[in-house]
Amino acid sequence: MSKMMGRCCSGICRALALLALLLPLQERGCWGLKPSSGDLERSPHSDPDPWEVQHRHKRSWVWNQFFVLEEYTGNEPLYVGKLHSDVDKGDGKVKYVLSGEGATSIFTIDENTGDIHATKRLDREAQAYYTLQAQAVDRLTNLPVEPKSEFVVKVQDINDNEPKFLDGPYLAGVPEMSPLGTMVVQVAATDADDPTYGNSARVVYSIIHGQPYFSVEPKTGVIRTALPNMDRETRDQYVLVIQAKDMVGQMGGLSGTTSVTVTLTDVNDNPPRFTHKSCQYTVLESLPVQSVVARIKAADADIGSNAEMDYRIMDGDGLGMFNITTDEDTQEGVIILLKPLDFETKSSFSLRVEATNRNIDSNFLSLGPFSDTTSVKVTVEDVNEPPIFSAPLSKMVVSEDAKVGTSIGKVSAHDPDTSSSAIRYSIDRNTDLERYFNVDALSGVISTAKPLDREANSVHNLTIFAIESRIALITVLDINDNAPVFAIDYETILCENAMPGQVIQTISAVDKDEPLSGHRFYFRLLSPFSFFFLLFLADNTASILTKRGGFRRQEQPVYRLPVLIVDSGSPALSSTNTLSVRVCDCNADGVALSCGAVAYTATGLSTGALLAILGCIITLLVMVLLIVTMRRRRKEPLILEEERDIRENIVRYDDEGGGEEDTEAFDMVTLRNLNVIRDPNVRRDVTPDTPTFFHYTSATRPSYKSLPDNVVFREFIWERLKDADVDPSAPPYDSLQTYAFEGSGSVAESLSSLESLSTDSDQNYDYLTNWGPRFKKLADLYGNSDGTSVFS
């Protein structure tokens, strides 16, 4: 078998082979080989060319298909072509093998016949062609019988992709008032189909939404204005919908759309205009200099720099009083005060103000002029200015011997306002603390109020106040805060012989409030009565009438009727008033003879008996009072509280200080040694002023120390009982007395220092006088050199 495919390596041969692959023919030979359907005929007289060169070699490969249609939707695998080798004699010894891009996955080959099929749908936009290698091998030895040969399978395009605007949506701008055909923006759509095959990728543009304002060029996609002089102030934005359609816009082509937002940009085509040709402002005459008097603005429909403007005062009588500047944020003209205002001098000013655009476009001068004027009137409002003295400093001279009341001089002030109010004068007393001078409140005459002394004060510096005299009338507006009540206290009489429907009383009401529309009262009986009813009258009164007759004093002498009175205020207030109706016995003319309950004569006891009973009751009351008084006196103690025996007091000492100096709260004698006997004539229910003691002699009474313990206590108790029985000054009631008696059972005898009060003690306490003032009391009690008691 010839090795022609391996030897064909010249550039011409390869170019011709590639050209043969790209030709859209159903059946074609490769490298000058004849297709399976017939041989390529050449003239024997033509010039030699590569085809001739190739024709001289022996054929080895034959196939009849190089193209496959994309997006094939059939159920069977798509037939691509057939491979055949001259070595294959049809006896089954040759096997065909396919390799390369998509082999076995996309393309399959019948190893016996060499038929190639596509098993999957192909997308040209994903991959336009596939490069494969084919080879014939011996089936038994698996050795190649032909060299490997490479070929290309191209995917044939169909119109399966719509145009797409990759840069959309678009934003564009065009100046307003642009001429017809002004370019706005260019849009572009991309079609993924093959632009070299058919019209699948040939796109034309059209405008779906946005007419008649804009148009689009079908081939280029350039959008232009379709109307001249479009005004931004009328409409500043347009939204266009642009369509791109393939197949040159023919029926069946695919399309895509995008939006284009076109904004009209501003140009200075509107001059400033004042809304009002004249305006008026009011300012106070006390307005400070450099304050803002007013703000004016000329309307300009343009925006940004096209709306910037300058203001100036052209003429008027306020050229020197006012100035005007431009507020850069709001483009307002700000009128500023340059000099102080004085209502009394000039009460109004007139100005003529002009507003002019800063940036004027020469293309639109025909729409001008780009300026406007307005008249401004400034009215000065009067304010209440303080009085002004005719001279800020008044010097006056007075002799120091001037009498009180002598006139020294006069101050004068006037009201600068047009009202010219009266002036009252007074002295600032902080400058005349001693009140040496007075000033007449009306005339301003200054006079002396005290004698003057030049040597004490030679100069007096007074401050005089001048105040406007004004009368303020304050009216308090009324609100409905008082409820209506009866006009008077009615004395209503009802005769027993009254007839049904008879008027027994006409009532009216009063209210402290004063409504602007006058009073209007409403009356009503709160409780239903079967005897009376109320009739409301139109003159703010009401009448009480009877429903029946036959009234009897014995049955009910008085009727009390609750009457509700409501006013017409907002909110309405009400009160309940009681009308008392007395039933009386009347004569034929209706004059009351007697009223109230019928008096009955009492029977039984006489008046004298009643008086006697009353006297007895009074006597008994007096006796009871006397008894109570006597009992109260018996319960009173015979001695004063402060004179009670101090022995009844319980005194507790928990501190260590004080020592025996503290003798105010108890009687030291009470705690004396039992061997010292109290004078029986001294009262024990009071604290003695000077305790007095006496001693029984040994012949008269034995000492308690020589007696047995049981006898000691018994004798002690009998001694106290005897003293209480024979004491004429003791109170006539029992008392409990406690004595701190230690007894005589101690071997060491009594350790109490109180025994030192006995005259039998031989202890010497003279050394206490050397211990200082804190022991002076003890030194006085125990420090006597003669051994006698201070209480004796």
Side-chain angles (χ1 to χ4, degrees):
M1 180 174 142
S2 173
K3 304 295 182 182
M4 179 268 302
M5 294 298 296
R7 294 191 298 267
C8 184
C9 58
S10 65
I12 298 176
C13 179
R14 292 184 180 274
L16 292 176
L18 181 61
L19 179 62
L21 288 175
L22 297 178
L23 289 176
L25 299 176
Q26 292 297 324
E27 294 184 1
R28 180 181 303 270
C30 184
W31 290 286
L33 299 177
K34 287 185 177 181
S36 59
S37 58
D39 295 335
L40 182 62
E41 298 294 339
R42 296 289 297 176
S43 174
H45 303 287
S46 61
D47 296 331
D49 56 9
W51 287 98
E52 292 253 308
V53 176
Q54 293 297 330
H55 183 68
R56 295 189 185 98
H57 295 281
K58 183 179 179 181
R59 294 178 300 179
S60 64
W61 286 103
V62 178
W63 55 76
N64 59 2
Q65 183 70 34
F66 297 98
F67 293 89
V68 60
L69 194 65
E70 71 169 331
E71 302 297 341
Y72 173 70
T73 59
N75 295 326
E76 298 295 331
L78 179 63
Y79 179 76
V80 177
K82 183 179 181 67
L83 296 180
H84 182 71
S85 174
D86 292 340
V87 180
D88 186 5
K89 304 300 182 178
D91 53 3
K93 294 182 179 181
V94 176
K95 181 176 66 173
Y96 297 95
V97 178
L98 187 67
S99 62
E101 292 179 324
T104 69
S105 61
I106 299 177
F107 301 99
T108 62
I109 187 170
D110 189 329
E111 63 180 13
N112 295 321
T113 64
D115 292 332
I116 302 174
H117 292 81
T119 60
K120 294 183 179 180
R121 294 175 59 181
L122 301 180
D123 186 3
R124 191 202 67 84
E125 288 71 34
Q127 187 167 348
Y129 61 90
Y130 296 84
T131 302
L132 300 172
Q133 293 83 33
Q135 190 173 26
V137 298
D138 186 272
R139 186 180 297 273
L140 296 178
T141 63
N142 209 27
L143 295 176
V145 297
E146 288 287 348
K148 184 181 294 185
S149 180
E150 184 178 86
F151 63 95
V152 175
V153 177
K154 184 178 180 182
V155 182
Q156 193 171 14
D157 183 45
I158 64 172
N159 188 21
D160 60 343
N161 292 278
E162 73 277 2
K164 294 182 180 179
F165 293 93
L166 301 181
D167 297 328
Y170 294 86
L171 297 176
V174 63
E176 64 172 333
M177 310 302 290
S178 295
L180 179 65
T182 302
M183 178 180 174
V184 179
V185 69
Q186 183 177 13
V187 297
T190 302
D191 196 317
D193 293 326
D194 189 359
T196 64
Y197 180 79
N199 297 322
S200 299
R202 295 182 63 183
V203 177
V204 294
Y205 301 93
S206 61
I207 182 167
I208 297 178
H209 181 73
Q211 294 175 334
Y213 307 103
F214 299 92
S215 63
V216 62
E217 294 181 357
K219 294 183 178 180
T220 62
V222 174
I223 300 174
R224 300 181 183 275
T225 58
L227 291 177
N229 301 327
M230 286 190 292
D231 190 7
R232 185 199 65 84
E233 289 72 32
T234 303
R235 181 177 177 181
D236 63 346
Q237 194 173 83
Y238 299 84
V239 178
L240 313 181
V241 178
I242 305 299
Q243 182 187 68
K245 190 174 183 180
D246 58 14
M247 299 298 292
V248 200
Q250 297 176 1
M251 185 179 298
L254 302 179
S255 63
T257 60
T258 187
S259 64
V260 180
T261 302
V262 180
T263 302
L264 297 183
T265 58
D266 185 55
V267 298
N268 191 6
D269 59 337
N270 293 279
R273 293 290 181 264
F274 284 103
T275 306
H276 303 285
K277 291 302 180 181
S278 63
C279 48
Q280 183 172 351
Y281 300 93
T282 301
V283 295
L284 297 175
E285 66 172 325
S286 58
L287 187 70
V289 175
Q290 296 299 324
S291 297
V292 176
V293 176
R295 287 175 174 264
I296 61 176
K297 184 175 183 180
D300 193 330
D302 296 324
I303 59 175
S305 61
N306 296 318
E308 294 179 356
M309 60 190 73
D310 293 318
Y311 296 87
R312 68 186 183 94
I313 299 176
M314 299 180 65
D315 52 41
D317 56 1
L319 286 176
M321 292 291 296
F322 304 96
N323 186 27
I324 188 168
T325 60
T326 301
D327 188 331
E328 298 299 334
D329 295 330
T330 62
Q331 293 302 312
E332 292 177 314
V334 182
I335 301 177
I336 300 175
L337 180 65
L338 297 180
K339 297 180 181 180
L341 298 173
D342 187 3
F343 174 82
E344 288 73 25
T345 303
K346 189 173 181 60
S347 60
S348 64
F349 298 88
S350 296
L351 307 172
R352 194 160 68 96
V353 179
E354 180 187 53
T356 305
N357 271 142
R358 291 179 186 172
N359 306 307
I360 299 177
D361 193 339
S362 59
N363 296 324
F364 303 100
L365 289 177
S366 59
L367 302 177
F370 285 83
S371 63
D372 196 17
T373 60
T374 185
S375 297
V376 178
K377 183 178 181 180
V378 180
T379 302
V380 181
E381 184 177 343
D382 188 24
V383 296
N384 186 20
E385 298 175 280
I388 300 176
F389 283 96
S390 57
L393 177 63
S394 299
K395 294 184 179 180
M396 303 177 186
V397 179
V398 62
S399 175
E400 67 175 328
D401 61 348
K403 297 181 179 180
V404 175
T406 301
S407 297
I408 303 173
K410 180 180 180 180
V411 293
S412 177
H414 69 280
D415 184 5
D417 298 323
T418 55
S419 59
S420 187
S421 302
I423 306 298
R424 296 183 63 87
Y425 302 94
S426 63
I427 297 177
D428 182 4
R429 289 306 175 184
N430 292 324
T431 61
D432 185 24
L433 297 177
E434 301 296 330
R435 295 182 177 268
Y436 284 107
F437 304 94
N438 287 330
V439 62
D440 188 271
L442 300 178
S443 63
V445 174
I446 300 176
S447 59
T448 59
K450 287 183 178 180
L452 302 177
D453 186 1
R454 192 200 65 82
E455 287 71 24
N457 193 356
S458 61
V459 177
H460 296 268
N461 189 5
L462 305 180
T463 300
I464 308 298
F465 291 141
I467 305 173
E468 295 182 16
S469 298
R470 293 186 179 271
I471 299 175
L473 180 62
I474 301 175
T475 302
V476 180
L477 298 178
D478 183 44
I479 63 171
N480 189 31
D481 57 345
N482 293 280
V485 296
F486 277 152
I488 60 174
D489 294 331
Y490 293 100
E491 296 287 341
T492 305
I493 296 175
L494 174 62
C495 295
E496 289 181 321
N497 56 359
M499 303 300 293
Q502 180 178 338
V503 177
I504 61 173
Q505 184 67 61
T506 299
I507 58 176
S508 62
V510 294
D511 194 331
K512 295 181 180 180
D513 298 320
E514 295 181 0
L516 298 177
S517 59
H519 289 291
R520 182 66 177 170
F521 301 118
Y522 304 92
F523 301 87
R524 183 166 63 90
L525 286 176
L526 287 180
S527 301
F529 286 90
S530 58
F531 306 146
F532 308 94
F533 68 94
L534 185 145
L535 179 62
F536 179 69
L537 303 178
D539 58 349
N540 274 348
T541 61
S543 296
I544 307 296
L545 297 87
T546 59
K547 286 185 178 181
R548 67 170 181 85
F551 293 94
R552 295 290 181 267
R553 289 178 294 165
Q554 293 83 354
E555 296 176 359
Q556 186 169 349
V558 178
Y559 293 91
R560 289 180 172 83
L561 310 181
V563 179
L564 176 67
I565 308 176
V566 183
D567 62 16
S568 58
S570 178
L573 298 180
S574 63
S575 67
T576 302
N577 301 262
T578 302
L579 179 66
S580 298
V581 180
R582 294 190 300 162
V583 182
C584 301
D585 180 23
C586 303
N587 58 16
D589 297 331
V591 177
L593 300 177
S594 61
C595 300
V598 178
Y600 293 93
T601 304
T603 58
L605 296 176
S606 63
T607 303
L610 292 175
L611 292 176
I613 293 173
L614 182 61
C616 293
I617 293 173
I618 294 174
T619 303
L620 290 174
L621 290 175
V622 172
M623 293 178 63
V624 169
L625 292 175
L626 290 175
I627 293 173
V628 171
T629 303
M630 293 179 63
R631 287 185 176 181
R632 287 183 177 179
R633 289 185 177 180
R634 288 182 179 180
K635 291 181 180 180
E636 293 180 357
L638 297 179
I639 58 177
L640 297 178
E641 185 69 24
E642 60 271 12
E643 293 179 353
R644 289 186 179 179
D645 193 347
I646 199 66
R647 290 172 297 175
E648 297 180 9
N649 296 339
I650 300 176
V651 181
R652 180 176 179 179
Y653 290 86
D654 291 334
D655 57 337
E656 299 179 359
E660 294 185 359
E661 282 188 80
D662 190 2
T663 59
E664 299 297 329
F666 59 93
D667 184 9
M668 293 288 294
V669 180
T670 306
L671 302 178
R672 74 188 189 284
N673 191 286
L674 291 178
N675 293 322
V676 181
I677 304 302
R678 184 193 301 269
D679 186 355
N681 294 327
V682 179
R683 292 183 57 180
R684 294 189 301 273
D685 57 344
V686 295
T687 303
D689 294 335
T690 304
T692 304
F693 294 89
F694 69 95
H695 305 278
Y696 289 100
T697 60
S698 58
T700 307
R701 178 179 179 81
S703 172
Y704 280 117
K705 296 180 180 180
S706 61
L707 297 177
D709 290 341
N710 57 346
V711 177
V712 169
F713 288 101
R714 184 173 61 252
E715 289 295 328
F716 177 78
I717 294 173
W718 280 109
E719 180 73 20
R720 292 292 179 265
L721 181 60
K722 179 180 178 181
D723 292 343
D725 291 339
V726 300
D727 190 358
S729 60
Y733 52 84
D734 295 335
S735 63
L736 177 63
Q737 298 181 356
T738 303
Y739 301 93
F741 175 50
E742 298 180 0
S744 57
S746 175
V747 178
E749 297 185 348
S750 176
L751 300 178
S752 174
S753 62
L754 298 178
E755 190 177 1
S756 60
L757 290 174
S758 174
T759 55
D760 296 339
S761 175
D762 55 357
Q763 180 72 29
N764 185 7
Y765 294 99
D766 292 340
Y767 61 87
L768 294 176
T769 57
N770 299 326
W771 285 14
R774 291 183 61 83
F775 296 91
K776 182 176 182 301
K777 191 68 174 182
L778 289 176
D780 294 340
L781 292 175
Y782 303 103
N784 294 329
S785 59
D786 56 356
T788 60
S789 174
V790 295
F791 300 105
S792 60

